[in-house]
Amino acid sequence: MSTILITGGAGFVGCNLAVLLKEKYPAYHIVCFDNLKRRGSELNLQKLKALDIDFIHGDIRDKSDFDQIRVPVHCVIDAAAEPSVLAGLDGNTDYLIGTNLNGTINALNFCLKHKAKFIFLSTSRVYPIKAIESINVVEEATRFEIAAAQKLPGINTDGISETFPLTGARSLYGATKLASEMMVEEYHEMFGLQTVVNRCGVITGPYQMGKVDQGVVVLWMAKHFWKKDLSYVGYGGTGKQVRDMIHIKDLFGIIDRQIHEIEKFNGQTFNIGGGRAISTSLQELTAVCERITGNKIAIQAVRETRQADIRLYITDNSKITGCTGWSPQIKVDEIMEDIFGWIKTNEQQLKPILS
Ligand SMILES: NC(=O)c1ccc[n+]([C@@H]2O[C@H](COP(=O)([O-])OP(=O)(O)OC[C@H]3O[C@@H](n4cnc5c(N)ncnc54)[C@H](O)[C@@H]3O)[C@@H](O)[C@H]2O)c1
């Protein structure tokens, strides 16, 4: 029997991975560890309880909180974070650095003690803002597209690969994640820890407590569902900024393989996302939400671009696909239908958080 610890296990990614693991491997002991900092994470506890998934209230910043875990652990999935790209921009960086960097180091030390594998949820936000903003784009009717001619390495019409430059500021959030990645690399090289780093683009699906600065795909659907206002912020206010998105079940497909075939991934870093085929602009997302909900809402245009925002991010999955054959399957429409179904079923519970 395998015991898997998921930090941030009451959050969107952590809770979904816990549930999907338990459903596929009922004999596994899954332990979710979370301080419930994210509003709405407490709602996910019911789902964990229903499946006999253990929950430990703990703070990843405090290494003694890990002492509550008294069983041998075989694998740690580190999904605890302050995941907002705006975090720390008010000058208060303590929580961000404490959680996203010191917390990762506490989790790595826990892995050393338990000789556990370490799977790290990193982010596309490790790539520098100015470099991303210097990607040549073509403005089309509903979105920005990556132009064929590019000056930087690691970018082509399929998206951004792992060889994209890493020099330059990337948001405080992105910096804490890149610093953590470096520590993961050191623990792998110096201590022989088995590790994988996944640099994910937008991940979405049910159980995501979407807000303006994180989880915008769910927020977009929720605002349409409850007929509330939204804004296209930045890049002229036209809603042409583009992201790829990956359904949490597609992400689970690859993490499942990483848990069970770590040798294939050990010590490596992968860009993981929906890729060009599963990408959308905000304008296009509006059209999908309108079709699914039957509601049309007011969307304001705010021309000024927000600090740390980027025009476009699309994952080039070539490395992970080349290594495993895996590629994401769930398309934008299906993702949005799934989110809609979750909101509809849990309307009363979710309204205070998402509307
Ligand atoms: N959702 C995305 O689009 C996305 C994209 C790329 C990377 N990621 C990464 O995936 C991971 C999970 O993100 P998510 O979307 O599930 O976010 P989330 O906010 O839904 O989940 C994070 C969880 O961590 C918990 N947490 C925060 N601080 C903690 C602390 N000090 N100690 C213990 N728990 C703490 C929160 O309560 C929350 O439940 C993060 O590392 C994030 O950086 C997410």
Side-chain angles (χ1 to χ4, degrees):
M1 171 151 139
S2 232
T3 299
I4 299 176
L5 173 69
I6 305 179
T7 68
F12 160 60
V13 170
C15 154
N16 272 290
L17 293 180
V19 165
L20 291 164
L21 276 165
K22 192 69 183 175
E23 283 172 353
K24 185 161 178 189
Y25 307 102
Y28 283 14
H29 180 199
I30 314 287
V31 182
C32 288
F33 175 100
D34 200 299
N35 70 349
L36 303 182
K37 168 81 170 13
R38 177 77 179 254
R39 188 167 171 238
S41 285
E42 68 285 357
L43 298 181
N44 293 336
L45 298 182
Q46 300 160 9
K47 184 88 180 160
L48 301 180
K49 201 169 172 201
L51 283 167
D52 247 341
I53 295 167
D54 282 348
F55 174 71
I56 292 180
H57 191 280
D59 194 314
I60 195 170
R61 293 172 299 167
D62 184 348
K63 60 182 174 202
S64 67
D65 276 10
F66 284 85
D67 296 342
Q68 297 178 75
I69 303 151
R70 297 206 180 83
V71 291
V73 169
H74 304 100
C75 177
V76 172
I77 302 173
D78 188 6
E82 167 43 76
S84 168
V85 79
L86 300 180
L89 291 179
D90 60 358
N92 187 355
T93 57
D94 289 355
Y95 191 83
L96 176 73
I97 295 171
T99 297
N100 293 11
L101 176 55
N102 299 343
T104 309
I105 296 168
N106 288 337
L108 284 166
N109 285 328
F110 177 88
C111 279
L112 278 188
K113 212 164 100 187
H114 285 252
K115 297 188 174 57
K117 306 165 198 173
F118 185 76
I119 297 175
F120 184 57
L121 268 298
S122 190
T123 170
S124 55
R125 285 311 202 125
V126 299
Y127 297 113
I129 293 169
K130 282 185 186 151
I132 293 177
E133 292 294 74
S134 76
I135 292 171
N136 291 329
V137 296
V138 181
E139 185 169 350
E140 298 202 334
T142 60
R143 60 153 66 197
F144 296 114
E145 281 281 9
I146 303 172
Q150 297 293 338
K151 355 176 237 310
L152 294 174
I155 169 81
N156 63 50
T157 49
D158 287 338
I160 291 172
S161 75
E162 298 79 357
T163 56
F164 196 76
L166 277 172
T167 306
R170 53 194 40 82
S171 78
L172 293 158
Y173 164 65
T176 56
K177 293 300 240 182
L178 184 61
S180 279
E181 284 191 13
M182 292 171 77
M183 292 309 291
V184 173
E185 186 175 21
E186 292 302 321
Y187 273 61
H188 170 74
E189 281 293 323
M190 302 301 153
F191 304 128
L193 203 68
Q194 292 184 303
T195 61
V196 192
V197 171
N198 296 307
R199 285 183 185 155
C200 302
V202 170
I203 313 165
T204 193
Y207 307 109
Q208 186 170 40
M209 303 302 163
K211 49 192 182 112
V212 172
D213 54 331
Q214 213 261 344
V216 74
V217 172
V218 165
L219 182 84
W220 220 257
M221 176 54 86
K223 296 288 183 188
H224 279 84
F225 185 87
W226 280 291
K227 296 193 208 150
K228 297 285 169 79
D229 293 352
L230 279 171
S231 304
Y232 293 134
V233 180
Y235 304 102
T238 57
K240 290 189 183 180
Q241 53 267 62
V242 170
R243 301 287 187 273
D244 62 356
M245 55 164 112
I246 183 168
H247 192 287
I248 184 69
K249 283 191 178 157
D250 270 333
L251 181 67
F252 172 72
I254 195 65
I255 290 193
D256 184 17
R257 291 184 60 178
Q258 293 174 347
I259 295 168
H260 296 99
E261 305 164 47
I262 189 91
E263 311 70 33
K264 276 195 189 147
F265 306 89
N266 194 12
Q268 298 193 65
T269 298
F270 298 92
N271 282 4
I272 295 194
R276 176 137 195 341
I278 313 176
S279 70
T280 179
S281 69
L282 284 178
Q283 217 186 98
E284 292 163 353
L285 193 61
T286 299
V288 176
C289 292
E290 284 176 355
R291 184 184 59 71
I292 295 174
T293 61
N295 298 334
K296 201 172 168 67
I297 58 170
I299 303 189
Q300 311 299 323
V302 179
R303 297 181 66 81
E304 297 74 40
T305 302
R306 215 174 41 197
Q307 196 178 10
D309 205 358
I310 50 176
R311 187 185 303 270
L312 171 147
Y313 188 90
I314 293 178
T315 308
D316 178 351
N317 283 314
S318 303
K319 181 177 175 189
I320 191 76
T321 302
C323 180
T324 62
W326 171 91
S327 63
Q329 301 299 317
I330 309 173
K331 302 286 186 277
V332 172
D333 281 28
E334 289 169 79
I335 295 175
M336 298 313 290
E337 296 273 6
D338 202 16
I339 293 169
F340 173 75
W342 168 66
I343 294 177
K344 204 164 164 11
T345 310
N346 300 282
E347 189 175 343
Q348 293 315 319
Q349 238 188 354
L350 294 174
K351 194 172 180 187
I353 295 163
L354 293 179
S355 75

